[in-house]
Amino acid sequence: MRSLISIVVPVYNEKDSLVLLVDQISKVMAARAKESFEIIFIDDGSTDQSWDVIQNLAAQHAKYVRAIRFRKNFGKSQALSVGFQLAQGDPIISMDADLQDDPQEIPLFLDKINDGADLVSGWKVNRQDPLSKTLPSKVFNAVVQLMSGVKLHDFNCGFKAYRKEVLRHIKIYGELHRFIPVLAHGYGFKIAEVGVRHNPRQFGYSKYGLERYARGFLDLLTVIITTRFIKRPSHLFGGFGIIAGLIGFSILFYLSVHWLMGTHIGARPLFFLGIMLSIMSIQMISLGLIAELFLYYAKSNENEDLIQQKINIVLN
Ligand code: UDP
Ligand code: MG
């Protein structure tokens, strides 16, 4: 039996590229004898004629074009999340709708998956965007790589392939789609990278500006906390708390000695720093404990997310 490959495409105002995109994908996939494919369009609240174009495509190619339309623009992460959930194939590929990702390269991704990777991320080696986009992107990628320990060159590439298994365990919302490899790495999945060509945008306009990097750094904190500290929030908060506490109490101890010797300490800036650090310390440690309590009661069925294989295990 031929296996099924799902190609998930988020669409926000891309009316001019969709026909070409379907044409190119179907040519590439028709050449592959062992696999059939489906294209799942998620129209993320487009205000141009994208949905009309998608409807036509679905009528013409009912065998492999499926589509969902959002009521309004909910963002790329939501679009991908719904697309992944509806995908029936395995592996699943995500790619942008604007033809900046080249369908010709789908086989490169599939090869890596067949070689044993769980997630393959594209790397736009010669990114065809203005310097105002490529430079911040370099900084962003370097920071994410450093903080997450995931050795990828390009966290902003929408062109990726995933074994279905990976996506079963990962919840994305907000703008977390950039961090799917970091989340997957956190669960112990094997991550690979392929260099891809990147075409300049032919139609329409980019939906993201510089603000994505500011948000991206906040999202990175979320991801680091949820992957590294989700099981032990008190270690994160308590860690800061203990450091602040040690410094604060040392300062106050030092000032107390002075005070006992008769020096006036009430107006010294150091006195206020000592008090502030001591209070912060207690707040941080309590915050950590509250997070632990919360976790204790919210204990989910997360164990399932950790398991790769089972032998002689009956589900209960
Ligand atoms: N996109 C989307 N919802 C949004 C913004 C973008 O579905 O709110 C889609 C967009 O149509 C495209 C992909 O996400 O298929 C990447 O967007 P874009 O090309 O604007 O980003 P860039 O290539 O400039 O990073
Ligand atoms: Mg683009």
Side-chain angles (χ1 to χ4, degrees):
M1 220 189 86
R2 296 210 295 178
S3 59
L4 179 68
I5 299 196
S6 297
I7 301 167
V8 173
V9 184
V11 178
Y12 182 48
N13 294 345
E14 312 280 5
K15 65 178 168 62
D16 296 314
S17 50
L18 301 173
V19 172
L20 276 168
L21 183 72
V22 168
D23 188 52
Q24 292 179 13
I25 293 177
S26 53
K27 283 208 176 91
V28 172
M29 294 309 296
R32 298 179 71 90
K34 290 196 196 119
E35 296 129 345
S36 57
F37 71 105
E38 60 175 3
I39 304 174
I40 302 178
F41 284 117
I42 311 294
D43 180 348
D44 183 15
S46 294
T47 50
D48 65 356
Q49 287 87 48
S50 294
W51 183 247
D52 298 331
V53 178
I54 291 172
Q55 277 179 308
N56 285 336
L57 284 165
Q60 272 171 41
H61 311 286
K63 263 169 75 180
Y64 57 81
V65 174
R66 311 187 204 302
I68 289 282
R69 182 188 199 182
F70 280 177
R71 223 170 287 120
K72 68 180 241 308
N73 178 241
F74 286 108
K76 189 175 174 183
S77 279
Q78 270 72 13
L80 286 173
S81 180
V82 169
F84 292 154
Q85 203 183 0
L86 297 174
Q88 311 213 309
D90 188 9
I92 297 171
I93 290 179
S94 65
M95 64 190 297
D96 289 355
D98 54 3
L99 294 170
Q100 290 199 273
D101 301 331
D102 196 328
Q104 299 264 10
E105 292 176 324
I106 292 176
L108 299 178
F109 287 82
L110 296 177
D111 288 348
K112 289 265 179 186
I113 293 273
N114 291 334
D115 288 349
D118 294 311
L119 185 160
V120 187
S121 184
W123 167 23
K124 299 170 291 220
V125 181
N126 281 311
R127 184 160 177 198
Q128 297 298 315
D129 279 320
L131 191 71
S132 60
K133 263 185 130 161
T134 51
L135 195 69
S137 155
K138 281 220 168 78
V139 177
F140 179 77
N141 284 317
V143 174
V144 177
Q145 203 187 97
L146 194 77
M147 288 191 57
S148 67
V150 179
K151 299 275 171 282
L152 288 181
H153 292 88
D154 187 356
F155 288 91
N156 266 318
C157 189
F159 206 177
K160 289 193 179 68
Y162 325 75
R163 291 204 306 109
K164 196 182 181 83
E165 161 99 35
V166 176
L167 297 173
R168 269 226 320 265
H169 301 294
I170 287 176
K171 302 170 200 77
I172 50 172
Y173 59 88
E175 291 185 18
L176 289 188
H177 57 270
R178 275 180 213 118
F179 299 103
I180 297 176
V182 180
L183 294 164
H185 174 80
Y187 280 122
F189 288 110
K190 244 181 271 154
I191 316 285
E193 186 172 53
V194 287
V196 291
R197 268 194 307 273
H198 188 238
N199 303 318
R201 203 179 231 287
Q202 293 179 49
F203 310 103
Y205 58 92
S206 169
K207 313 304 178 306
Y208 296 103
L210 285 177
E211 77 290 346
R212 88 166 100 190
Y213 298 106
R215 297 198 197 132
F217 285 119
L218 292 174
D219 288 340
L220 178 64
L221 290 180
T222 307
V223 167
I224 302 271
I225 289 175
T226 51
T227 52
R228 296 226 192 124
F229 292 105
I230 186 88
K231 292 275 164 47
R232 47 199 169 97
S234 74
H235 290 195
L236 176 70
F237 295 113
F240 287 125
I242 286 175
I243 294 170
L246 282 176
I247 302 174
F249 286 115
S250 312
I251 289 173
L252 291 182
F253 180 75
Y254 164 81
L255 289 176
S256 307
V257 174
H258 276 247
W259 178 72
L260 285 175
M261 294 187 322
T263 325
H264 185 66
I265 60 167
R268 291 183 63 173
L270 198 60
F271 181 54
F272 294 99
L273 182 67
I275 293 177
M276 191 191 72
L277 286 173
S278 307
I279 294 177
M280 244 174 67
S281 155
I282 291 166
Q283 277 187 331
M284 284 296 214
I285 293 172
S286 337
L287 191 64
L289 292 176
I290 289 179
E292 293 279 347
L293 260 180
F294 182 73
L295 209 66
Y296 178 80
Y297 285 106
K299 183 110 190 73
S300 60
N301 52 349
E302 234 205 294
N303 290 345
E304 270 302 308
D305 291 335
L306 312 180
I307 297 169
Q308 183 176 30
Q309 284 176 20
K310 295 176 182 169
I311 294 177
N312 294 345
I313 301 290
V314 183
L315 284 179
N316 51 12

